[in-house]
Amino acid sequence: MFFRDLKLKPTTIEVTLAEARLPVRMGHRDASKVFGEPLNRQLAATAMGTLTKVRAHEAGPDDICGVTLYLGLRNASREGLESVANMLDYLHAPYGSSLRRAEGGDPVLFGVAEGLEISVDSTLAPDAQARRDLAMTCSEAMKGLAINRGWIRRADKTVFYFYGENVRSMQDRLSEAFETHAVLATARARRLA
């Protein structure tokens, strides 16, 4: 069946612009896939608004040191902002994250994840398969405690980023892997600020 002369009704929805800033260190992972797309799906499902843009802040090429999510929210009251913050907490937003209206105002502070950086000599992780194996070894050691946010090569080190609820627990679980895995024997783990 073919319809002619269909006229769409113009629809406008008033939104308030807001910005969520996440101080997350990421390696090769795409910030849009990790935070933007899941948040946008949740905002659409709850009819709370939409994600308009994701901007990754880089300390160097492919070295993400923070992410800003630009939002259009139907309810930008304190309660509305707290609801969005809870959605981001579900995605393991790091401590120190904030959400505020674009025109200013008091931010909503949130975050549930602590960061752990694991660095190994780059000669021990020379290719993608070796990096993948190391990341999987660390992920298995911290299963249920941490999420891998990627890796980055810095000078003579390859650095892996993990986020979880308790850095001390993550380090305790890693200590056995550091002792038994030959490549990880020289690895260093430190808490991200």
Side-chain angles (χ1 to χ4, degrees):
M1 179 178 263
F2 182 72
F3 295 98
R4 276 193 254 188
D5 299 324
L6 288 178
K7 294 183 180 179
L8 297 174
K9 292 182 178 181
T11 306
T12 58
I13 299 173
E14 286 194 32
V15 297
T16 302
L17 299 178
E19 296 176 4
R21 295 177 187 228
L22 311 176
V24 62
R25 295 209 51 102
M26 298 177 71
H28 68 290
R29 302 262 190 241
D30 182 9
S32 293
K33 287 186 179 169
V34 172
F35 293 107
E37 292 171 13
L39 177 63
N40 198 34
R41 284 192 300 270
Q42 190 65 27
L43 290 172
T46 57
M48 291 182 66
T50 189
L51 176 79
T52 60
K53 181 180 175 184
V54 176
R55 181 171 169 243
H57 307 281
E58 296 183 337
D62 297 325
D63 188 9
I64 298 172
C65 60
V67 174
T68 301
L69 306 170
Y70 297 91
L71 310 166
L73 301 176
R74 294 180 72 187
N75 176 8
S77 67
R78 186 80 178 172
E79 294 78 24
L81 294 177
E82 288 172 352
S83 294
V84 175
N86 288 334
M87 292 175 189
L88 286 164
D89 279 344
Y90 182 77
L91 297 173
H92 299 281
Y95 286 116
S97 297
S98 65
L99 175 64
R100 73 174 67 201
R101 287 186 288 279
E103 72 265 3
D106 291 332
V108 171
L109 301 176
F110 62 97
V112 295
E114 295 180 293
L116 183 68
E117 176 183 281
I118 301 169
S119 61
V120 297
D121 192 293
S122 290
T123 59
L124 301 174
D127 57 21
Q129 186 60 44
R131 287 188 293 271
R132 197 173 6 263
D133 290 344
L134 282 174
M136 288 303 294
T137 300
C138 293
S139 292
E140 284 298 316
M142 295 184 289
K143 190 170 187 152
L145 289 179
I147 294 174
N148 181 0
R149 293 291 186 215
W151 60 270
I152 187 73
R153 182 170 277 167
R154 275 198 214 133
D156 60 340
K157 299 283 184 202
T158 299
V159 182
F160 300 88
Y161 299 110
F162 288 88
Y163 283 85
E165 290 184 15
N166 188 311
V167 167
R168 175 62 59 208
S169 298
M170 293 171 10
Q171 288 174 324
D172 289 345
R173 288 254 191 106
L174 276 174
S175 63
E176 184 179 320
F178 282 10
E179 292 171 6
T180 59
H181 196 279
V183 175
L184 290 174
T186 60
R188 294 178 42 98
R190 74 174 184 93
R191 181 182 190 164
L192 292 171

